[in-house]
Amino acid sequence: MEKDNLSEALKKLKITAVDSTADSLEGCLDCLLQALAQNNTETSEKIQKSGILQVFASLLTPQSSCTAKVANIIAEVAKNEFMRNPCVEAGLIPPLVQLLNCKDQEVLLQTGRALGNICYDSHEGRSAVDHAGGAQIVIDHLRSLCSKTDPANEKLLTVFCGMLMNYSNENDTLQSQLINMGVIPTLVKLLGIHCQNAALTEMCLVAFGNLAELETSKEQFAYTNIAEELVKLFKKQIEHDKKEMIFEVLAPLAENDIIKLQLVEAGLVECLLEIVQKTVDSDKEEDIAELKTASDLMVLLLLGDESMQKLFEGGKGSVFQRVLLWIPSNNHQLQLAGALAIANFARNDGNCIHMVDNGIVQKLMDLLDRHVEDGNVTVQHAALSALRNLAIPVVNKAKMLSAGVAEAVLKFLRSEMPPVQFKLLGTLRMLIDAQAEAAEQLGKNVKLVERLVEWCEAKDHAGVMGESNRLLSALIRHSKSKDVIRTIVQSGGIKHLVTMATSEHVIMQNEALVALALIAALELATAEKDLESAQLVQILHRLLSDERSAPEIKYNSMVLICALMGSELLHKEVQRLAFLDVVSKLRSHENKTVAQQASLTEQRLAVES
């Protein structure tokens, strides 16, 4: 089309818009639509320069027969980012929103497109629609048109869904607004009724994906049958991209425990297991991606207590049995998911005891063995997590120790990866709890103790540092062995136990004080120099003087003071620091045990002074 035709049409529009016959107007609008179809960007620039947008505002009336065409032109120009603000500034939003109240299907369709395009990535567009109250009208339409399945209506529903998407995308405030208007049950219903329509289904999924990121939305979703609808839809999909789309909605929704259970009840797990089976031996990129997504989602479902217990079914569950087969597989992603799944099943004593009695430990140790050399940190970390959880019930400890778990875990002492170090320490600490023989054996292992002392200084990794300290203390507390204490003294571990007594966690302070009291009772002569240079006596004085110290800390500090009196070196320190004053004040402590220990300690200090 000639350029001058366009200029003509624009000029004519300006004049005729004021007092024209519909026919001449119609011709000008057709001319614009044709020009836009040929070169949208260039035509839009001309339309902007001509100042015709302001004229459009007056043409957008329900009475006019040209309204749909004008809305269509606005929808077309608003495909260009540079045209969205001018559309808002020309005052087009209020009349467009008004048109949402009319009954004409073509007008509704073009108006929905125009508003959707103006809102796309445009803060000004969204604000204007928000002020004009557009969202509520569109949601009302979705509700009232929801159950009609003729093609024209489905097209309109798709445009309206798209408009709400563009309106609220990545904007928490507007998403919350839509949720409060009750958009979620409406969209879920749409999905159920129109699952045969690909375009509309896709629009609903994108909308769910957006909304599901918000916490408040998950509660709303939990009251709908979204789980059932998504699983039904999922079972029908053949194309990878469609499955991915549904996965992207399932993952954020499955963070909610109620929805986890609903998904399990709707049969999602069977779908996931089937995907794993189909993709496990494939090296096609999309199969690898699907396997990862499916197995990750499986692990996520097991994070809910009820959903996990339902799938465990007393260890007889077919799902549990299938997941067990992942661990010896040759696929690293499946090994990882299998180990994480076991760690999730191992969240209560009953499950842990059942799994250990049925041979899970050997499977996990074999898995660890396959990864000692290759340094696959995620698999190592997951397998150690599972072993740590399994070691929590008292009856499992001895069984796991005699199966050789401690030795299997010690193979990872060389690891330089903090997550692996952290789980390794936690597993050993769980295993030796109240197991004197094992604690003694590990406590005399010089390599282990030296590594612990080294990790006690891992300032960058508070978790590893804390666990190393706790394991050092546990080795002493559970073995009560002179040999273990000597090994720890020789490796330079004493100063760390003294520092641990000043931890901000009462439980760690306590573990340290009990271990130090055992050292003082069993091997004071060996340890006294280290205890003195770590300033233990000053620290105890501080703990006893501090109002904020917990009663058990005060009690254990006094027990320790009495035990230290057997060393001349430390005795002098105690005398130097007027302990009597502090201790006699504690005789009137509200806690009876503390008060009693204060009397005993006072007598002991008086006798020795």
Side-chain angles (χ1 to χ4, degrees), residues 562-591:
C562 295
L564 295 177
M565 303 296 264
S567 148
E568 204 173 322
L569 186 66
L570 296 167
H571 189 165
K572 280 199 185 108
E573 287 288 308
V574 173
Q575 283 174 317
R576 200 170 59 78
L577 282 170
F579 264 85
L580 263 173
D581 307 351
V582 191
V583 172
S584 56
K585 276 192 197 129
L586 290 173
R587 276 201 333 230
S588 54
H589 196 278
E590 56 192 359
N591 181 304

Side-chain angles (χ1 to χ4, degrees), residues 28-45:
C28 297
L29 295 173
D30 285 337
C31 179
L32 287 191
L33 279 167
Q34 218 176 328
L36 283 163
Q38 283 178 350
N39 188 334
N40 190 322
T41 314
E42 201 179 314
T43 309
S44 294
E45 280 169 354

Side-chain angles (χ1 to χ4, degrees), residues 418-448:
V420 174
Q421 298 166 353
F422 181 72
K423 286 296 176 186
L424 170 151
L425 293 164
T427 307
L428 290 175
R429 190 164 63 79
M430 286 302 159
L431 281 171
I432 62 167
D433 193 8
Q435 307 295 312
E437 203 179 315
E440 175 152 19
Q441 209 180 340
L442 286 171
K444 291 193 295 195
N445 178 332
V446 179
K447 268 200 176 120
L448 169 64

Side-chain angles (χ1 to χ4, degrees), residues 263-488:
L263 288 168
V264 168
E265 285 169 349
L268 178 60
V269 173
E270 289 67 27
C271 299
L272 298 177
L273 290 170
E274 199 176 314
I275 289 181
V276 167
Q277 208 169 346
K278 274 188 194 149
T279 54
V280 63
D281 298 319
S282 164
D283 40 22
K284 286 208 330 230
E285 210 165 295
E286 56 183 47
D287 286 343
I288 294 169
E290 245 173 72
L291 175 79
K292 177 169 171 32
T293 314
S295 51
D296 284 348
L297 191 48
M298 185 75 195
V299 173
L300 180 57
L301 291 176
L302 292 172
L303 274 174
D305 287 337
E306 284 185 78
S307 48
M308 179 272 289
Q309 216 44 51
K310 191 176 170 66
L311 294 170
F312 189 66
E313 292 178 60
K316 303 280 178 283
S318 64
V319 174
F320 171 64
Q321 297 297 334
R322 295 270 289 277
V323 168
L324 280 184
L325 299 174
W326 293 0
I327 296 174
S329 95
N330 288 319
N331 183 303
H332 285 187
Q333 168 60 30
L334 268 199
Q335 296 170 1
L336 169 65
L340 288 172
I342 298 303
N344 283 342
F345 280 125
R347 285 210 313 276
N348 62 53
D349 284 7
N351 292 6
C352 288
I353 292 166
H354 183 282
M355 287 192 280
V356 168
D357 288 346
N358 284 276
I360 189 66
V361 171
Q362 196 52 54
K363 286 189 174 69
L364 289 167
M365 290 192 341
D366 292 345
L367 176 59
L368 275 175
D369 247 359
R370 295 163 71 174
H371 292 287
V372 176
E373 296 308 325
D374 73 351
N376 186 323
V377 177
T378 47
V379 177
Q380 293 172 1
H381 179 260
L384 289 168
S385 298
L387 287 170
R388 180 194 176 280
N389 288 1
L390 291 165
I392 293 172
V394 178
V395 292
N396 281 357
K397 297 180 197 293
K399 292 175 188 165
M400 289 175 73
L401 285 164
S402 57
V405 172
E407 292 73 15
V409 168
L410 284 171
K411 289 180 188 164
F412 293 90
L413 258 189
R414 296 196 303 272
S415 171
E416 290 305 328
M417 293 311 211
V420 174
Q421 298 166 353
F422 181 72
K423 286 296 176 186
L424 170 151
L425 293 164
T427 307
L428 290 175
R429 190 164 63 79
M430 286 302 159
L431 281 171
I432 62 167
D433 193 8
Q435 307 295 312
E437 203 179 315
E440 175 152 19
Q441 209 180 340
L442 286 171
K444 291 193 295 195
N445 178 332
V446 179
K447 268 200 176 120
L448 169 64
V449 174
E450 283 177 349
R451 193 72 161 135
L452 291 182
V453 170
E454 184 186 327
W455 284 341
C456 282
E457 287 159 15
K459 297 276 184 289
D460 304 341
H461 302 287
V464 173
M465 203 162 95
E467 279 291 335
S468 305
N469 277 305
R470 293 189 75 182
L471 184 52
L472 267 186
S473 149
L475 291 169
I476 295 172
R477 287 182 298 113
H478 299 302
S479 71
K480 302 187 175 53
S481 144
K482 287 172 174 267
D483 288 339
V484 171
I485 294 170
R486 280 200 285 267
T487 308
I488 290 174

